Amino acid sequence: MDLLPLAVSSVIFLLVSVFLYSWKLNSSGTKLPPGPRGLPILGYLPFLDRNLHLQFTILARKYGPIYRLWLGSKLCIVVSSPSLIKQVVRDQDTVFANRDPTIAALLGTGGVDIITSPYGPYWSNLRKLFASEMLSHANLDASYVLRRNEVRRAIRNVQEKIGTGVDIGELIFVTELNVVMSLLWGGTFEGEKRDRIGAEFREKVSKFIELLEKPNLSDFFPVLARFDFQGIAKEMKDLLPSFDEILDYVINDRLKIMDSEQVEGELPSAKRGKDFVQILLDLKEQNVAEESMTLTQIKVLLVYSTTIT
């Protein structure tokens, strides 16, 4: 086999890549802040450290409070000065509000969640629903019964282990998770059914977060996305049906409870406490949102309220 043509092609490809990378840097050098050059094609990716906060601090001392990094084909601007951060997140927040969502995030929510959706009326509507409705003082007060019950369960758990060691860190962590689950649908299920569904949902959410946080080659080199070398897109696609199954089950059960309460003339959540599922379903029925809320939006808000709360 004659390897000469292959060798020549490889050399030409490398030279062209180096040229294009250098051209990219030089052509934008007058418009962009300074920063490390990195390698052709890969940029600064090979040099990233696990402790990014420490590495970025070192780079800020060298290049100043604002500098650039090329991560593959993605241009990233790092801001480390408090005054500049204030400009970005507060004074000019609408300019910087849009995100560049990862492939996993787009697959996971379809771009309709509060984090990845672009700034505009739709995003404002979601933010209003999440901050002003779900986490309003009135609705948090309505969920007091649910939160109180979880704390009491934790206390009983400790009392049952008198004379033995207790991992306080683990106890607090599990209690917080249980509180979040109660805020989601604590008034729908009780006993063994509640624990089973909660454990299954926590497992799925943990996997969901893991996929969102995992560095994906396809995000840095979009041209490679179709190949999904790391299998992240496939894992996310395989995970989504289980979310739908759990949330459909929860929502349908809650709708049955609400229908029976209306027939019997009971006040919703009078005894069980008001959770996020009921809050969102009430908003959907009342048409509080500027746009009609869909079940997809409700599911996305429930999933992200778990990760954010």
Side-chain angles (χ1 to χ4, degrees), residues 281-300:
L281 290 174
D282 286 345
L283 291 173
K284 182 176 184 296
E285 292 299 321
Q286 296 167 13
N287 221 2
V288 170
E290 293 178 8
E291 301 176 7
S292 179
M293 177 177 283
T294 65
L295 286 179
T296 299
Q297 284 179 297
I298 290 178
K299 292 177 185 178
V300 168

Side-chain angles (χ1 to χ4, degrees), residues 262-278:
Q262 289 180 354
V263 172
E264 297 173 6
E266 295 183 9
L267 291 176
S269 72
K271 297 180 180 179
R272 65 167 185 271
K274 200 170 186 179
D275 53 42
F276 284 178
V277 171
Q278 181 175 333

Side-chain angles (χ1 to χ4, degrees), residues 21-220:
Y21 182 75
S22 300
W23 176 80
K24 178 173 64 174
L25 290 179
N26 294 330
S27 64
S28 58
T30 57
K31 300 179 183 178
L32 295 176
R37 284 184 172 271
L39 297 176
I41 302 177
L42 299 177
Y44 203 71
L45 275 175
F47 307 108
L48 288 182
D49 190 86
R50 288 184 178 273
N51 297 316
L52 286 178
H53 61 296
L54 297 178
Q55 187 178 22
F56 284 176
T57 300
I58 295 172
L59 289 174
R61 290 171 183 165
K62 181 176 181 179
Y63 295 103
I66 178 171
Y67 58 91
R68 58 163 171 74
L69 288 176
W70 284 100
L71 302 180
S73 62
K74 299 285 186 177
L75 171 63
C76 300
I77 304 297
V78 181
V79 177
S80 59
S81 163
S83 60
L84 289 176
I85 293 173
K86 174 176 172 289
Q87 288 287 322
V88 171
V89 302
R90 195 182 76 175
D91 297 346
Q92 301 187 46
D93 59 321
T94 57
V95 177
F96 298 97
N98 288 336
R99 302 289 184 267
D100 187 9
T102 63
I103 291 174
L106 285 176
L107 288 174
T109 65
V112 298
D113 62 280
I114 196 172
I115 295 178
T116 61
S117 56
Y119 176 79
Y122 176 79
W123 179 87
S124 299
N125 190 37
L126 282 184
R127 182 181 180 278
K128 170 187 159 188
L129 289 173
F130 190 81
S132 302
E133 301 292 346
M134 292 175 65
L135 297 181
S136 68
H137 289 299
N139 284 328
L140 286 178
D141 287 342
S143 67
Y144 167 74
V145 174
L146 302 173
R147 291 180 280 119
R148 182 194 61 193
N149 290 341
E150 289 304 328
V151 173
R152 287 179 174 177
R153 287 182 66 186
I155 294 174
R156 285 197 301 268
N157 185 282
V158 173
Q159 289 176 335
E160 292 170 359
K161 296 180 179 179
I162 292 177
T164 62
V166 176
D167 187 336
I168 297 298
E170 178 69 15
L171 175 67
I172 293 174
F173 177 72
V174 171
T175 302
E176 287 177 345
L177 284 179
N178 289 336
V179 167
V180 172
M181 291 299 106
S182 289
L183 287 174
L184 288 180
W185 56 64
T188 305
F189 305 113
E190 295 181 356
E192 183 179 343
K193 179 191 255 187
R194 170 185 174 279
D195 294 337
R196 175 177 56 81
I197 294 177
E200 184 179 354
F201 191 73
R202 281 195 298 270
E203 178 186 351
K204 303 302 179 185
V205 167
S206 297
K207 182 63 177 177
F208 182 77
I209 295 174
E210 177 188 332
L211 292 175
L212 289 179
E213 294 178 343
K214 192 173 183 180
N216 190 353
L217 190 65
S218 299
D219 292 323
F220 301 114

Side-chain angles (χ1 to χ4, degrees), residues 230-282:
Q230 295 169 257
I232 294 177
K234 181 181 183 304
E235 288 187 71
M236 183 62 81
K237 290 177 182 177
D238 293 340
L239 181 66
L240 294 180
S242 59
F243 269 121
D244 275 338
E245 183 179 350
I246 294 173
L247 293 176
D248 282 339
Y249 183 70
V250 171
I251 291 171
N252 289 333
D253 263 46
R254 173 45 59 85
L255 288 172
K256 291 177 184 177
I257 292 174
M258 293 170 67
D259 289 341
S260 66
E261 287 175 336
Q262 289 180 354
V263 172
E264 297 173 6
E266 295 183 9
L267 291 176
S269 72
K271 297 180 180 179
R272 65 167 185 271
K274 200 170 186 179
D275 53 42
F276 284 178
V277 171
Q278 181 175 333
I279 290 171
L280 291 174
L281 290 174
D282 286 345

